[in-house]
Amino acid sequence: MQVSLGIYISVPFCRTKCSFCNFASGVVSRAVFSRYVDRVCADIEHSPQFAVGLDARLDLDVDSIYLGGGTPTTLDPADLERIFAAVRRTFRVTPDAEITVECAPGTLTPAILDTLLRCGVNRVSLGAQSFVDQESASVGRLHTRAVILDDIARLRAAGMSNLSLDLIAGLPHQTSASWNDSLAQTIASSVPHVSVYMLEVDDESRLGRELIAGGTRYHAHFVPDDDVTAELYLHACEQLNGAGILQYEISNFARDEAGKHSPDLPTYASRHNLKYWTRQPYLGFGVDAHSMLLADTRAARSAMEREITEYLEHAPNFAGSRDSADSNFYARLGAEAVRFSTPDSLDRYLAGDAVEFTSVNYSQAVEEAHFLGLRLNRGLRASELAARYGPEAATVFRDQIAELRALGLLEVNNGVTRLTSRGRLLSNEVFQRFISDTVKGSSRV
């Protein structure tokens, strides 16, 4: 069965770095932008040969493209156009493809908006985080409520109606009242998709170091505690669902068109992100980008060796050294899938450091199917697991599921296993029950 490909492109540049951010992004000289786009475009154009060298199946039909970051709209219009041109030269973008670009409010200049439309972008994700100016400013965001609303209005006036807003529960200074204000404004905006994240403060971020030190810089002493943040998240679930913005994944909510889809997969659910949670193939380009391709077990070993030898002579930067590539190639024969990731720092990426590979065998694939599938409100369907991975896949975690049901973290009805409301709050603990030590040590999902 052929499944269309998803493409993710990382743009690790921002106007300012949020105090809580632990992503591979930051503020750099604009002189770096063009070099970065050169490397991304080269990797895009070499990727079909690269996939052959990995003994992986690669369908050139692409039905989702996602530019994330960082802030892709900090790029010059010409660089954005170069990226989209490289994708269209290399792949067959389907007419109905979902093409998303993340945008920090205030970066949507007339030239950028015109470029997005010209490049076929039909979905924009706005990183609002909050509609309360004090909360936004406390973590280093440069926009205001008025800027967010203006961006939404201009996007709609330009014909872009498929919009998503990001909100964060647990920002400094946030209270139940201010959170209600952000939720009410979000609902009133009538956007069809909303993402709600609970603030996770990395120890190595500026805010994280200040919290550990017990200091007051970066408004650290105004960060709500974990219990308050959990209550804010649960309240968001209640309010958004009540307004017809239906939760379909732990952090994601979308409106549905009556009669179009089942309630647990609304019309405006992110088609690109669904690829991650349902283990469909995707390619990632740029700093700290991840990919997953299914193995092509039909390929002949001799043909693969010929292809990888030819490719490595022409594209050593993306593939790494001949020795490391050969060893990875032979290790992956018979694998169910291969995951690989690019360097997680801008300097290493621009220097041409090699891609890191992880082979995924059958048992690891079944584990991934469980802990990724449980993210979705539609849950895990025993019949679908059995059809894709064999009948044993539907029962291999019987004991773990029974234990998690007893703890009130999972529910099972008519062959469908789902997280409970409490299970969503403790989802990381739930997922650990489905991950072997091998996967914990080697796979980055």
Side-chain angles (χ1 to χ4, degrees):
M1 179 182 70
Q2 285 194 326
V3 180
S4 294
L5 186 71
I7 288 180
Y8 175 82
I9 299 166
S10 165
V11 180
F13 309 126
C14 297
R15 293 187 301 169
T16 183
K17 181 89 167 178
C18 294
S19 62
F20 59 81
C21 183
N22 62 348
F23 294 158
S25 61
V27 182
V28 300
S29 167
R30 297 188 72 86
V32 177
F33 290 8
S34 183
R35 287 177 53 211
Y36 182 80
V37 173
D38 286 345
R39 171 72 197 271
V40 167
C41 290
D43 284 353
I44 290 170
E45 291 172 350
H46 292 146
S47 57
Q49 303 98 307
F50 185 62
V52 168
L54 296 179
D55 193 18
R57 299 205 303 267
L58 182 63
D59 184 352
L60 294 181
D61 289 332
V62 169
D63 65 1
S64 75
I65 302 170
Y66 196 108
L67 267 67
T71 307
T73 45
T74 58
L75 288 178
D76 295 328
D79 284 331
L80 281 170
E81 290 192 25
R82 285 205 292 145
I83 290 172
F84 281 109
V87 171
R88 292 184 184 276
R89 278 196 305 270
T90 309
F91 299 96
R92 296 184 295 266
V93 180
T94 62
D96 65 341
E98 176 192 83
I99 305 177
T100 305
V101 171
E102 289 184 351
C103 174
T107 63
L108 196 64
T109 65
I112 288 293
L113 178 53
D114 181 64
T115 299
L116 298 183
L117 295 171
R118 193 165 55 251
C119 291
V121 174
N122 52 29
R123 185 173 183 271
V124 166
S125 177
L126 283 170
Q129 320 304 18
S130 173
F131 278 93
V132 178
D133 293 351
Q134 180 192 31
E135 294 171 7
S136 299
S138 73
V139 292
R141 305 294 284 182
L142 299 179
H143 63 264
T144 62
R145 175 197 300 245
V147 169
I148 301 170
L149 295 176
D150 182 61
D151 280 351
I152 293 173
R154 291 192 299 116
L155 284 162
R156 284 188 169 137
M160 189 94 67
S161 59
N162 194 358
L163 306 177
S164 180
L165 285 177
D166 285 359
L167 298 177
I168 295 181
L171 292 175
H173 301 283
Q174 202 167 67
T175 64
S176 295
S178 70
W179 183 237
N180 266 328
D181 185 19
S182 284
L183 292 173
Q185 187 65 72
T186 298
I187 293 167
S189 74
S190 299
V191 294
H193 191 279
V194 180
S195 297
V196 178
Y197 303 102
M198 289 185 285
L199 180 66
E200 294 184 8
V201 182
D202 188 84
D203 290 348
E204 295 304 314
S205 68
R206 288 173 294 157
L207 182 57
R209 290 193 293 268
E210 194 67 12
L211 282 170
I212 291 171
T216 60
R217 290 191 303 168
Y218 312 116
H219 304 258
H221 53 312
F222 291 113
V223 174
D225 64 33
D226 290 345
D227 289 341
V228 170
T229 298
E231 287 298 321
L232 296 174
Y233 166 80
L234 291 174
H235 185 63
C237 295
E238 178 184 342
Q239 292 294 304
L240 293 172
N241 279 305
I245 311 173
L246 308 175
Q247 185 175 30
Y248 69 95
E249 191 267 346
I250 291 173
S251 300
N252 288 278
F253 305 75
R255 296 184 186 273
D256 193 33
E257 293 180 2
K260 295 290 186 180
H261 291 276
S262 61
D264 56 15
L265 199 58
T267 309
Y268 288 97
S270 169
R271 286 163 49 191
H272 181 83
N273 286 337
L274 283 167
K275 290 186 180 295
Y276 303 146
W277 304 318
T278 58
R279 300 194 74 251
Q280 297 178 45
Y282 56 90
L283 279 176
F285 301 99
V287 169
D288 201 26
H290 301 262
S291 303
M292 196 277 286
L293 295 176
L294 300 178
D296 187 356
T297 56
R298 299 164 298 174
R301 184 184 187 117
S302 59
M304 284 286 116
E305 185 174 26
R306 183 172 61 254
E307 293 284 357
I308 197 171
T309 300
E310 180 182 350
Y311 176 64
L312 288 172
E313 290 175 353
H314 295 92
N317 284 346
F318 193 55
S321 70
R322 169 62 194 266
D323 291 341
S324 65
D326 271 351
S327 64
N328 277 298
F329 162 68
Y330 290 120
R332 275 188 299 281
L333 285 174
E336 190 271 348
V338 58
R339 291 186 179 276
F340 47 101
S341 58
T342 56
D344 62 2
S345 80
L346 180 62
D347 288 342
R348 288 179 54 215
Y349 179 74
L350 291 176
D353 281 15
V355 173
E356 295 182 2
F357 304 93
T358 301
S359 174
V360 181
N361 62 30
Y362 167 80
S363 62
Q364 291 168 338
V366 173
E367 292 174 14
E368 289 183 0
H370 278 77
F371 68 76
L372 291 174
L374 279 172
R375 295 190 64 92
L376 295 167
N377 280 34
R378 74 187 300 269
L380 289 170
R381 285 157 164 74
S383 59
E384 293 176 1
L385 286 169
R388 182 169 179 181
Y389 303 102
E392 64 274 21
T395 59
V396 67
F397 288 113
R398 183 188 296 113
D399 292 344
Q400 289 91 332
I401 290 172
E403 179 185 0
L404 291 165
R405 286 183 72 185
L407 293 170
L409 302 177
L410 289 180
E411 60 185 21
V412 181
N413 294 296
N414 299 320
V416 180
T417 304
R418 293 186 175 93
L419 290 171
T420 62
S421 294
R422 182 166 177 262
R424 292 189 191 100
L425 286 173
L426 300 173
S427 58
N428 287 337
E429 287 82 351
V430 173
F431 299 156
Q432 288 295 317
R433 306 294 181 93
F434 298 96
I435 305 176
S436 69
D437 291 337
T438 301
V439 174
K440 290 175 185 175
S442 64
S443 181
R444 299 172 63 190
V445 177

mmCIF file of all heavy atoms in Angstrom, residues 123-143:
data_model
loop_
_atom_site.group_PDB
_atom_site.id
_atom_site.type_symbol
_atom_site.label_atom_id
_atom_site.label_comp_id
_atom_site.label_asym_id
_atom_site.label_seq_id
_atom_site.Cartn_x
_atom_site.Cartn_y
_atom_site.Cartn_z
ATOM 1 N N ARG A 123 -2.573 27.040 4.893
ATOM 2 C CA ARG A 123 -2.833 26.911 6.338
ATOM 3 C C ARG A 123 -1.720 27.655 7.077
ATOM 4 O O ARG A 123 -0.535 27.483 6.767
ATOM 5 C CB ARG A 123 -2.877 25.443 6.753
ATOM 6 C CG ARG A 123 -3.250 25.192 8.208
ATOM 7 C CD ARG A 123 -3.424 23.683 8.447
ATOM 8 N NE ARG A 123 -3.849 23.390 9.801
ATOM 9 C CZ ARG A 123 -3.035 23.189 10.834
ATOM 10 N NH1 ARG A 123 -1.715 23.249 10.645
ATOM 11 N NH2 ARG A 123 -3.504 22.938 12.030
ATOM 12 N N VAL A 124 -2.080 28.460 8.051
ATOM 13 C CA VAL A 124 -1.106 29.190 8.864
ATOM 14 C C VAL A 124 -1.364 28.895 10.326
ATOM 15 O O VAL A 124 -2.511 28.909 10.791
ATOM 16 C CB VAL A 124 -1.182 30.712 8.602
ATOM 17 C CG1 VAL A 124 -0.420 31.492 9.667
ATOM 18 C CG2 VAL A 124 -0.614 31.038 7.227
ATOM 19 N N SER A 125 -0.292 28.600 11.057
ATOM 20 C CA SER A 125 -0.364 28.379 12.499
ATOM 21 C C SER A 125 0.268 29.572 13.200
ATOM 22 O O SER A 125 1.475 29.818 13.062
ATOM 23 C CB SER A 125 0.372 27.086 12.880
ATOM 24 O OG SER A 125 0.357 26.893 14.284
ATOM 25 N N LEU A 126 -0.538 30.332 13.931
ATOM 26 C CA LEU A 126 -0.076 31.531 14.620
ATOM 27 C C LEU A 126 0.326 31.200 16.059
ATOM 28 O O LEU A 126 -0.486 30.660 16.822
ATOM 29 C CB LEU A 126 -1.169 32.596 14.638
ATOM 30 C CG LEU A 126 -1.412 33.397 13.359
ATOM 31 C CD1 LEU A 126 -2.690 34.219 13.507
ATOM 32 C CD2 LEU A 126 -0.230 34.321 13.077
ATOM 33 N N GLY A 127 1.548 31.533 16.419
ATOM 34 C CA GLY A 127 2.026 31.276 17.779
ATOM 35 C C GLY A 127 1.581 32.362 18.735
ATOM 36 O O GLY A 127 2.404 33.137 19.254
ATOM 37 N N ALA A 128 0.288 32.406 19.022
ATOM 38 C CA ALA A 128 -0.250 33.450 19.899
ATOM 39 C C ALA A 128 0.242 33.271 21.326
ATOM 40 O O ALA A 128 0.663 34.224 21.990
ATOM 41 C CB ALA A 128 -1.782 33.425 19.857
ATOM 42 N N GLN A 129 0.168 32.055 21.851
ATOM 43 C CA GLN A 129 0.533 31.688 23.228
ATOM 44 C C GLN A 129 -0.406 32.283 24.265
ATOM 45 O O GLN A 129 -0.793 31.628 25.211
ATOM 46 C CB GLN A 129 1.977 32.059 23.574
ATOM 47 C CG GLN A 129 3.026 31.834 22.494
ATOM 48 C CD GLN A 129 3.100 30.422 21.954
ATOM 49 O OE1 GLN A 129 2.191 29.635 22.118
ATOM 50 N NE2 GLN A 129 4.176 30.113 21.255
ATOM 51 N N SER A 130 -0.770 33.543 24.128
ATOM 52 C CA SER A 130 -1.685 34.194 25.063
ATOM 53 C C SER A 130 -2.266 35.445 24.405
ATOM 54 O O SER A 130 -1.613 36.076 23.571
ATOM 55 C CB SER A 130 -0.944 34.585 26.341
ATOM 56 O OG SER A 130 -1.769 35.368 27.190
ATOM 57 N N PHE A 131 -3.501 35.792 24.789
ATOM 58 C CA PHE A 131 -4.089 37.057 24.366
ATOM 59 C C PHE A 131 -3.926 38.136 25.439
ATOM 60 O O PHE A 131 -4.473 39.225 25.305
ATOM 61 C CB PHE A 131 -5.572 36.870 24.044
ATOM 62 C CG PHE A 131 -5.824 36.319 22.664
ATOM 63 C CD1 PHE A 131 -5.959 34.955 22.459
ATOM 64 C CD2 PHE A 131 -5.913 37.167 21.574
ATOM 65 C CE1 PHE A 131 -6.191 34.443 21.186
ATOM 66 C CE2 PHE A 131 -6.144 36.670 20.305
ATOM 67 C CZ PHE A 131 -6.281 35.299 20.106
ATOM 68 N N VAL A 132 -3.183 37.825 26.491
ATOM 69 C CA VAL A 132 -2.951 38.774 27.580
ATOM 70 C C VAL A 132 -1.537 39.334 27.416
ATOM 71 O O VAL A 132 -0.552 38.597 27.522
ATOM 72 C CB VAL A 132 -3.119 38.100 28.955
ATOM 73 C CG1 VAL A 132 -2.830 39.085 30.087
ATOM 74 C CG2 VAL A 132 -4.522 37.506 29.084
ATOM 75 N N ASP A 133 -1.432 40.613 27.149
ATOM 76 C CA ASP A 133 -0.145 41.213 26.780
ATOM 77 C C ASP A 133 0.920 41.015 27.851
ATOM 78 O O ASP A 133 2.097 40.782 27.533
ATOM 79 C CB ASP A 133 -0.324 42.700 26.485
ATOM 80 C CG ASP A 133 -1.157 42.948 25.229
ATOM 81 O OD1 ASP A 133 -1.448 41.974 24.498
ATOM 82 O OD2 ASP A 133 -1.545 44.117 25.001
ATOM 83 N N GLN A 134 0.549 41.112 29.125
ATOM 84 C CA GLN A 134 1.539 40.941 30.194
ATOM 85 C C GLN A 134 2.151 39.549 30.158
ATOM 86 O O GLN A 134 3.363 39.383 30.346
ATOM 87 C CB GLN A 134 0.883 41.174 31.563
ATOM 88 C CG GLN A 134 1.862 41.023 32.729
ATOM 89 C CD GLN A 134 1.160 40.973 34.088
ATOM 90 O OE1 GLN A 134 0.035 40.487 34.189
ATOM 91 N NE2 GLN A 134 1.825 41.490 35.113
ATOM 92 N N GLU A 135 1.335 38.526 29.894
ATOM 93 C CA GLU A 135 1.837 37.156 29.850
ATOM 94 C C GLU A 135 2.773 36.953 28.662
ATOM 95 O O GLU A 135 3.835 36.322 28.793
ATOM 96 C CB GLU A 135 0.666 36.173 29.774
ATOM 97 C CG GLU A 135 -0.203 36.177 31.026
ATOM 98 C CD GLU A 135 -1.474 35.368 30.867
ATOM 99 O OE1 GLU A 135 -1.637 34.679 29.837
ATOM 100 O OE2 GLU A 135 -2.323 35.434 31.779
ATOM 101 N N SER A 136 2.383 37.488 27.509
ATOM 102 C CA SER A 136 3.231 37.365 26.325
ATOM 103 C C SER A 136 4.584 38.035 26.546
ATOM 104 O O SER A 136 5.637 37.461 26.257
ATOM 105 C CB SER A 136 2.529 37.985 25.110
ATOM 106 O OG SER A 136 1.311 37.340 24.827
ATOM 107 N N ALA A 137 4.551 39.254 27.073
ATOM 108 C CA ALA A 137 5.797 39.996 27.278
ATOM 109 C C ALA A 137 6.688 39.327 28.308
ATOM 110 O O ALA A 137 7.918 39.401 28.216
ATOM 111 C CB ALA A 137 5.470 41.430 27.716
ATOM 112 N N SER A 138 6.092 38.644 29.289
ATOM 113 C CA SER A 138 6.882 38.050 30.375
ATOM 114 C C SER A 138 7.824 36.962 29.886
ATOM 115 O O SER A 138 8.828 36.670 30.527
ATOM 116 C CB SER A 138 5.953 37.499 31.465
ATOM 117 O OG SER A 138 5.310 36.309 31.032
ATOM 118 N N VAL A 139 7.505 36.327 28.746
ATOM 119 C CA VAL A 139 8.371 35.257 28.229
ATOM 120 C C VAL A 139 9.132 35.696 26.983
ATOM 121 O O VAL A 139 9.777 34.878 26.322
ATOM 122 C CB VAL A 139 7.563 33.974 27.935
ATOM 123 C CG1 VAL A 139 7.059 33.356 29.228
ATOM 124 C CG2 VAL A 139 6.411 34.235 26.960
ATOM 125 N N GLY A 140 9.056 36.994 26.656
ATOM 126 C CA GLY A 140 9.856 37.516 25.557
ATOM 127 C C GLY A 140 9.150 37.596 24.227
ATOM 128 O O GLY A 140 9.787 37.875 23.203
ATOM 129 N N ARG A 141 7.836 37.366 24.197
ATOM 130 C CA ARG A 141 7.103 37.527 22.941
ATOM 131 C C ARG A 141 6.967 39.017 22.626
ATOM 132 O O ARG A 141 6.789 39.844 23.536
ATOM 133 C CB ARG A 141 5.713 36.895 23.039
ATOM 134 C CG ARG A 141 5.718 35.425 23.449
ATOM 135 C CD ARG A 141 6.347 34.533 22.426
ATOM 136 N NE ARG A 141 5.452 34.299 21.283
ATOM 137 C CZ ARG A 141 5.766 33.515 20.263
ATOM 138 N NH1 ARG A 141 6.945 32.932 20.209
ATOM 139 N NH2 ARG A 141 4.903 33.330 19.278
ATOM 140 N N LEU A 142 7.010 39.363 21.360
ATOM 141 C CA LEU A 142 7.010 40.767 20.961
ATOM 142 C C LEU A 142 5.646 41.282 20.529
ATOM 143 O O LEU A 142 5.483 42.480 20.305
ATOM 144 C CB LEU A 142 8.004 40.973 19.807
ATOM 145 C CG LEU A 142 9.469 40.630 20.117
ATOM 146 C CD1 LEU A 142 10.333 40.853 18.880
ATOM 147 C CD2 LEU A 142 9.988 41.450 21.291
ATOM 148 N N HIS A 143 4.668 40.410 20.422
ATOM 149 C CA HIS A 143 3.379 40.824 19.897
ATOM 150 C C HIS A 143 2.393 41.162 21.024
ATOM 151 O O HIS A 143 2.642 40.876 22.197
ATOM 152 C CB HIS A 143 2.784 39.716 19.023
ATOM 153 C CG HIS A 143 2.497 38.451 19.778
ATOM 154 N ND1 HIS A 143 3.375 37.374 19.810
ATOM 155 C CD2 HIS A 143 1.437 38.076 20.535
ATOM 156 C CE1 HIS A 143 2.862 36.415 20.548
ATOM 157 N NE2 HIS A 143 1.682 36.810 21.004
#
